[in-house]
């Protein structure tokens, strides 16, 4: 679009230059060949006046074209700025999404007054002694914790469960995950190895 506007400007400038040349040429020819007292029909002054009108119209069009060109440049600048800001916002959102733990399993909305699921954070996990947390991944730990939360809190079950019972319910329980949750005071484990959530 900018190239087209520039091309039009060049065309108008050339047309104005041509008109100037024609006017000067006509004036010279008139002065050279005009009789001392020409009749109204032979008087070329009318032609020159019309030429002046055409020139003034060209100048007006050139002015309008310049205004269009300025507006076009301002629009392009605004579009570039908007695109740049949009890209920055997208990048910021991507960084924010990368920082959020992948473990934030989608939480089911819970009516007001009931306990809400709060996943284990990376800082909480790192506070657990390494010998206990072993190679347990945060995302897996929170997935297991969420299953326990649903069973004991949302479904209102009170009976403690052992690892085998948990796995029958597809909780993907392991002793390591249970020990971490115990260390964080999220679950309690009795002497028989049965665990339940501390609410």
């Amino acid at each position: 679009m900018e190239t087209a506007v520039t091309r039009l400007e060049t065309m108008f400038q050339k047309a104005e230059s041509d008109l100037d040349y024609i006017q000067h040429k006509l004036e010279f020819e008139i002065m050279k060949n005009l009789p001392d007292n020409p009749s109204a029909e032979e008087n070329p002054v009318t032609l020159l006046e019309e030429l002046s009108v055409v020139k003034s119209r060209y100048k007006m069009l050139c002015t309008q074209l310049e205004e269009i060109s300025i507006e076009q440049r301002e629009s392009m600048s605004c579009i570039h700025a908007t695109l740049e800001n949009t890209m920055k916002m997208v990048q910021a959102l991507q960084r924010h999404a990368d920082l959020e733990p992948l473990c934030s399993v989608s939480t089911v909305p819970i009516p007001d007054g009931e306990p809400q699921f709060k996943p284990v954070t990376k800082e909480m996990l790192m506070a657990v002694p390494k010998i206990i947390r072993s190679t347990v991944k945060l995302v897996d730990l929170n997935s297991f914790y969420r299953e326990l939360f649903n069973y004991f809190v949302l479904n209102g079950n009170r009976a403690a469960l052992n690892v085998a019972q948990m796995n029958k319910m597809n909780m993907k329980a392991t002793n390591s995950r249970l020990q971490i949750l115990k260390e964080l005071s999220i679950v309690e484990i009795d002497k028989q190895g049965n665990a339940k959530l501390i609410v």
Side-chain angles (χ1 to χ4, degrees):
M1 183 178 176
E2 191 170 355
T3 306
V5 172
T6 305
R7 196 179 302 128
L8 277 173
E9 285 178 341
T10 305
M11 287 171 59
F12 276 116
Q13 288 169 0
K14 185 178 184 307
E16 187 175 4
S17 175
D18 290 345
L19 285 171
D20 283 337
Y21 173 76
I22 291 168
Q23 184 178 4
H24 291 307
K25 185 75 173 172
L26 280 171
E27 287 173 353
F28 175 75
E29 292 295 329
I30 288 167
M31 295 300 295
K32 180 178 171 184
N33 300 316
L34 187 65
D36 291 335
N37 295 309
S39 63
E41 292 80 9
E42 296 174 342
N43 194 343
V45 173
T46 307
L47 180 60
L48 285 175
E49 288 174 354
E50 289 178 2
L51 191 60
S52 295
V53 171
V54 172
K55 277 187 63 180
S56 68
R57 286 179 181 170
Y58 264 106
K59 284 183 179 178
M60 185 175 66
L61 285 172
C62 286
T63 303
Q64 291 175 348
L65 189 64
E66 179 62 26
E67 290 172 358
I68 291 170
S69 178
I70 291 169
E71 289 179 4
Q72 184 261 342
R73 285 194 292 268
E74 289 175 354
S75 297
M76 291 301 293
S77 177
C78 182
I79 289 169
H80 288 147
T82 303
L83 280 173
E84 189 175 342
N85 288 338
T86 303
M87 289 302 297
K88 286 180 181 177
M89 287 173 61
V90 169
Q91 289 168 357
L93 286 170
Q94 286 176 337
R95 283 196 299 271
H96 182 69
D98 290 341
L99 289 174
E100 287 183 353
L102 295 172
C103 62
S104 55
V105 181
S106 60
T107 56
V108 178
I110 300 173
D112 292 339
E114 292 187 25
Q116 293 189 16
F117 176 72
K118 294 179 182 177
V120 175
T121 65
K122 185 178 181 181
E123 291 76 16
M124 292 168 65
L125 180 60
M126 296 309 290
V128 175
K130 189 173 182 180
I131 193 167
I132 296 175
R133 60 184 157 90
S134 181
T135 57
V136 173
K137 294 180 180 177
L138 185 59
V139 63
D140 296 331
L141 178 67
N142 274 310
S143 180
F144 170 56
Y145 175 25
R146 177 69 187 180
E147 294 292 338
L148 290 176
F149 182 87
N150 290 344
Y151 179 81
F152 288 107
V153 177
L154 296 187
N155 297 333
N157 293 299
R158 295 178 180 271
L161 299 171
N162 60 36
V163 172
Q165 290 170 323
M166 292 176 189
N167 286 328
K168 279 184 182 178
M169 292 184 275
N170 294 319
M171 289 188 182
K172 297 181 181 177
T174 65
N175 286 321
S176 297
R177 292 172 190 171
L178 277 173
Q179 288 301 321
I180 293 170
L181 294 179
K182 179 184 176 184
E183 186 72 19
L184 294 171
S185 299
I186 292 173
V187 301
E188 57 184 11
I189 303 173
D190 62 23
K191 293 179 181 178
Q192 287 76 36
N194 298 316
K196 65 179 180 178
L197 213 62
I198 300 173
V199 181

